[in-house]
Amino acid sequence: MNELLIKNAFVIDPINNITGEQMDLAVRDGRIVEDVGANAEVIDAGGCLTLPGGIDSHTHVCGTKVNFGRYMSPEDMRAGREARRGVKHATSGYSVPTTYANSYRYAIMGYTTLLEGAMAPLEARHTHEEFSATPLQDMMANTLFDGNWGVMEAIRDGDTERAAAIVGWTISAVKGFGIKITNPGGTEAWGWGKDVTCIRDPVPYFEVTPAEIIETLIRSCEMLRLPHSVHLHCNNLGKPGNYGCTMETFNLVPDLNDKRQTLYATHVQFHSYGGSGWKDFCSKAEPVAGLVNNRPQIVIDMGQVMFGKTTTMTADGPMEFNLYRLHHNKWSNHDVELETGSGIIPVLYRRKNLVNSIMWAIGLELALLVENPWQCMLTTDNPNGAPFVKYPEIIALLMSKKYRDAEFATVHPETGSRTVLPSLERELDWNEIAVMTRAGQAKALGITDIGKGHLGLGAEADIAVYPLKVGEIDPAKEYEQVIEGFSKAKWTIKRGRPMARDGEILVHGENTTIWADPVIRPDRDIAQDPDFCEMFNHWYSVRMSNYPVQDEYLQRNLRMQSEADL
Amino acid sequence: MIHRDMVCPFCGCLCDDLVVETEDGQVVQVDNACTLGSNKMMGAWQHRLKSPVMRDGGGWRDTTYEEACEYAAGVLLDADRPLMYGWSSTQGEAQGIGVSMAELLGGVIDSTTSVCHGPSILAIQEVGHPGCTLGQVKNRADLVIYWACNPTEAHPRHMSRYTTYADGFFMENAFRDRKLIVVDVRKSDTASIADEFMQVKPGGDYAVLSALRAIVRGRADVVPKTVAGVTKEQLVRVAALCKEARFGALFFGVGLTMAPGKYKNVRNAIELVDELNRHTKWTLTPLRGHYNVYGSNEVFTWMTGYPYAVDFSRQIAFYNPGETTAVDILARQECDACLIVASDPGAHFPKQCLEHLAEIPTVLIDPMQTATTPLCRCQIPTAVTGMDASGTAYRMDGVPIHLKKFLDLGYPTDTEIIGRIFKQVKEVKHP
Ligand code: SF4
């Protein structure tokens, strides 16, 4: 029996409606309990801010394209190196750190659960191998279906059940978590060096539209009763004027689930652009946020851009090529047969650059204009908008108008005429930040029932204690302290075990891989469907029997089974 | 017993459709493999070293796994600058433990990459890599270029599984509709079936690539009448074919990476493909040799940040090919102990390096006696991944494949042996 008592914690736990209360937290065998015995290990939180462990609902930390980002960037590796010490491995990398570096840096910031945003099913084994080398967080992987041939053929035949059967089988086979759609249809078109412009363009050969792909996958997701909703990276990322396409897409989304959203739209900053070109590029955060405010079935994440060097990486192959033509830096691309694509380029976001400055403003505008914090998650689409180590600065920007104004004064002077940021007075409070960095994520991912994102009885004891005294500091003024506090948790506790303290890593942990396993009626099992097997074995370059990820790739793992409605 | 969909642990094609028949613990039949793969499968169980061996005066004596592992750990612990080299024909799991051990010991870990596609990686680190999985090529490519490589000999099923002879989803008659261009310094077997063979004078690849880039960019006017033995007429024709293709795929081998110009050649090839992407769709893939050499790059990268040649002597991961690469460390007689895993430097390294290997305590982990054996003081035989051990490997295009076990010959796996050595190292050198 392993017991821990955290005394004098100033707890904010939005899921349990605790908005700041001094209390003790008792932990036994990794779970929150009523009380513990006298021999329990005791940590004195000293009245400091105590939150459920942080959850990143959209980050790129493990798998083929992330590793390629490292592989092609020795300059980035040099920028983040630390020596081996104690239980800590040597680390490399700033924007695409090694698995250990990612894990340590997230742990130091109080993060205990991460969702890898994009896993190509064919290369899933790779993602799981890297999960095993990410010791301190629980991991899950969104599985890509934007250009899946089987799904597109089912859509063309008007057979949503078949599409759902393919998706369900694939997610179980590759031990994935949710359905990810990146530039639906666009990645298949990119197989021919083409793209789609918005949701009504037919995909070459398959003759289905992105709108049909999105709608069918939304229905499939609900049929499979997956914990998380469809997770969408809209078409047209990064293009001036794309907000119209984003809004049109949002308007497609029905409200089908009473426990969570029906659509999670990721890095919406990159999709809220006005203008007809780079010359009149401007923010359209207002209409996009307005639409989200009227659509409770949609949750977004910010995809905040922060100034400095980073690496962009996405399954959106054509977008990366466009970016490459803009930046003329190095470019990698990796199309995945029958499934999806990906691209990587390094970028430098500069304050002196008007477009970059507007992008920076848009992310903040979205977070301030979406009224309900449960509908807007704090992310950078790590590392696309910025490496995740910038989260504390983003928190401070959202909590302090003064800080925003001070930063605004340093960006391109014309930014003011293209954005509304200077006029936004809202300052988020601690509770809203807790929602946007853990509670909201847990709810959106559908993992509150397994004890994530809250500190109620029976919850997983993933806890972050920050050196911040809520009553004593004014985040609107003392934003430096907010940044410092969220950068380095006093304690990060994973499953009841302290794993980081004041910036030091204490243990070599073992993560849990969380995966979804929808159970489908045997007569709808696509693996028994001769046409599907024939298609698979003929056109993939691996045999169908070698495709599923074997159990041995998952060490500690949690299978979230669901009874599929099919 | 019949085992279906087995994976061939020979070359970077990692064919996963082999049918292997075993009888009384022996392989009696292998279907679908090429001769290279099937020879390996059919013969490997016969030529195995029976047990670990140790130097004994001028000869060898058999020893136990226990003594051999203890010896290996002792040698590594004693060393000031241990080198751990090889890793291209073993499972990813073993590579991972190797990295952790190198880290703890403050040693250098390098894979055979440094003597094959190391220059390709340097080029990729400068300009990136427009690539794709091999199924993408199979289903779409209507133009394939093999540059400075001879898949017929080195990757015998590459053309039947992924290119020339493979069915393509978007092609009515893939064999007829797909064009093949071969660029090489000599007319190889592959060249003899090409639609277009471009013979380049040795050392001329860089110039030919530059000429093609110029033509693709609309600057044929700057190209002289012949470039490294290739006529302008042919260059213009090839450039036009490249631009007209719906999907082009360029494969290249060590003939490009190890020819004069080295990584600059590859960089030029990548930039040609970048340029072609402004007109149509193009991808490029290095033909990786050993079945899991790409896996060593992957594992090293996610653990250390660098794909090969990683030096932990300063507790950080340090990478500087040319300095921290095995050949260079050996040539400078810098390392004072060496662990070689699943590779055969005895057959490939310069004499000077081999002399040093023979001077220092060198331990080899390999199932069979090789040209490296005579240079070692101890050899530990292990199971062959894909035959009597399961494990992970990465195909030349980055697709991770699970190799399966169909035989049990009683040998420990590389992961087990390296794990045992590492355990002993950790007992002395606590993390
Ligand atoms: S091509 Fe390579 S992987 Fe395929 S059977 Fe031959 S040697 Fe084995």
Side-chain angles (χ1 to χ4, degrees), chain B residues 114-430:
Chain B
S114 60
V115 291
C116 58
H117 276 281
S120 309
I121 294 179
L122 296 183
I124 288 167
Q125 291 176 337
E126 279 192 4
V127 289
H129 176 191
C132 65
T133 65
L134 291 166
Q136 192 79 346
V137 175
K138 162 188 153 78
N139 288 319
R140 293 174 204 260
D142 55 351
L143 178 59
V144 173
I145 301 181
Y146 285 108
W147 197 301
C149 54
N150 186 10
T152 317
E153 270 175 28
H155 299 86
R157 294 184 71 210
H158 196 267
M159 297 174 84
S160 57
R161 276 174 65 83
Y162 310 122
T163 67
T164 312
Y165 304 110
D167 283 350
F169 182 82
F170 293 104
M171 264 164 251
E172 287 213 354
N173 181 336
F175 182 66
R176 199 193 53 214
D177 299 346
R178 181 135 56 197
K179 283 207 165 53
L180 174 65
I181 299 176
V182 170
V183 187
D184 211 339
V185 292
R186 65 188 173 91
K187 190 155 186 182
S188 63
D189 300 345
T190 315
S192 59
I193 55 159
D195 297 284
E196 187 85 46
F197 172 51
M198 202 154 73
Q199 187 158 8
V200 179
K201 280 195 184 139
D205 299 290
Y206 187 87
V208 171
L209 285 160
S210 299
L212 286 173
R213 280 177 69 190
I215 299 167
V216 172
R217 296 189 79 146
R219 292 300 310 273
D221 58 308
V222 301
V223 175
K225 273 209 186 68
T226 63
V227 179
V230 184
T231 63
K232 180 172 182 179
E233 196 191 350
Q234 188 177 26
L235 288 165
V236 168
R237 192 166 65 235
V238 165
L241 283 173
C242 291
K243 279 168 80 168
E244 282 157 16
R246 280 221 297 163
F247 186 114
L250 170 63
F251 295 94
F252 65 95
V254 285
L256 197 62
T257 67
M258 291 296 158
K262 289 203 147 188
Y263 94 95
K264 292 276 188 193
N265 295 337
V266 181
R267 181 182 163 138
N268 219 0
I270 295 171
E271 293 191 291
L272 170 64
V273 168
D274 284 358
E275 192 61 45
L276 285 165
N277 268 297
R278 291 163 198 262
H279 302 275
T280 178
K281 178 78 182 190
W282 269 85
T283 65
L284 160 142
T285 308
L287 283 173
R288 304 303 301 268
H290 298 292
Y291 80 87
N292 198 22
V293 63
Y294 195 51
S296 72
N297 304 143
E298 294 277 11
V299 173
F300 288 16
T301 299
W302 77 64
M303 293 183 74
T304 75
Y306 306 103
Y308 65 106
V310 186
D311 180 354
F312 283 107
S313 61
R314 288 178 289 272
Q315 305 293 306
I316 46 135
F318 177 78
Y319 162 80
N320 191 22
E323 179 194 349
T324 57
T325 19
V327 168
D328 303 279
I329 286 175
L330 286 165
R332 289 195 308 268
Q333 306 189 335
E334 208 173 278
C335 60
D336 52 352
C338 186
L339 177 72
I340 298 170
V341 181
S343 71
D344 191 11
H348 303 107
F349 276 20
K351 192 161 154 275
Q352 197 188 351
C353 299
L354 300 184
E355 280 166 7
H356 187 63
L357 268 184
E359 285 278 305
I360 58 174
T362 296
V363 176
L364 171 64
I365 300 179
D366 200 296
M368 272 150 287
Q369 193 174 330
T370 67
T372 305
T373 306
L375 307 168
C376 298
R377 304 215 181 148
C378 171
Q379 180 173 354
I380 310 175
T382 45
V384 176
T385 306
M387 293 184 68
D388 47 331
S390 61
T392 315
Y394 285 75
R395 206 165 66 182
M396 63 171 72
D397 56 348
V399 173
I401 310 262
H402 181 71
L403 286 83
K404 295 175 287 191
K405 165 180 175 168
F406 56 79
L407 265 188
D408 201 343
L409 301 175
Y411 289 98
T413 64
D414 287 330
T415 305
E416 282 161 3
I417 289 300
I418 297 162
R420 257 160 95 164
I421 299 172
F422 187 33
K423 191 163 167 250
Q424 296 187 10
V425 165
K426 275 195 286 195
E427 276 163 17
V428 177
K429 220 180 154 90
H430 302 286

Side-chain angles (χ1 to χ4, degrees), chain A residues 203-220:
Chain A
V203 179
Y205 175 82
F206 292 94
E207 295 298 321
V208 298
T209 62
E212 290 170 311
I213 297 175
I214 297 164
E215 286 173 320
T216 306
L217 288 172
I218 284 177
R219 298 210 177 265
S220 300

Side-chain angles (χ1 to χ4, degrees), chain A residues 321-455:
Chain A
F321 186 64
N322 287 332
L323 211 55
Y324 165 62
R325 293 205 284 189
L326 232 52
H327 289 257
H328 301 291
N329 207 322
K330 54 187 169 188
W331 167 60
S332 288
N333 176 74
H334 183 74
D335 297 351
V336 181
E337 63 204 60
L338 285 79
E339 294 180 349
T340 184
S342 70
I344 309 169
I345 76 156
V347 296
L348 169 62
Y349 295 117
R350 291 179 300 138
R351 287 172 201 271
K352 287 187 177 151
N353 177 293
L354 177 58
V355 169
N356 293 168
S357 299
I358 296 168
M359 291 164 83
W360 169 82
I362 293 173
L364 297 172
E365 289 173 348
L366 285 168
L368 296 167
L369 288 165
V370 170
E371 287 154 13
N372 179 356
W374 296 89
Q375 278 184 277
C376 183
M377 305 299 120
L378 190 150
T379 68
T380 56
D381 181 19
N382 169 68
N384 287 295
F388 64 84
V389 290
K390 296 277 189 185
Y391 286 2
E393 287 173 48
I394 300 170
I395 293 174
L397 285 165
L398 295 177
M399 295 185 92
S400 167
K401 166 90 166 111
K402 186 173 165 215
Y403 183 29
R404 289 200 295 272
D405 288 346
E407 284 291 293
F408 201 87
T410 69
V411 304
H412 191 285
E414 265 179 63
T415 311
S417 63
R418 316 277 188 102
T419 63
V420 295
L421 187 64
S423 68
L424 301 179
E425 300 291 334
R426 187 174 171 194
E427 291 177 328
L428 300 189
D429 62 25
W430 301 100
N431 193 62
E432 287 168 317
I433 293 297
V435 171
M436 292 173 71
T437 55
R438 49 263 290 156
Q441 270 88 350
K443 182 161 178 272
L445 294 171
I447 53 173
T448 51
D449 290 349
I450 59 166
K452 293 286 182 187
H454 68 101
L455 299 171

Side-chain angles (χ1 to χ4, degrees), chain A residues 457-493:
Chain A
L457 289 181
E460 280 238 287
D462 293 355
I463 305 164
V465 182
Y466 294 100
L468 292 163
K469 297 257 170 93
V470 167
E472 293 172 21
I473 62 167
D474 177 359
K477 297 201 184 74
E478 292 155 300
Y479 50 84
E480 295 288 357
Q481 277 189 52
V482 171
I483 297 173
E484 221 173 286
F486 280 111
S487 298
K488 209 184 269 182
K490 228 168 128 61
W491 292 97
T492 303
I493 292 157

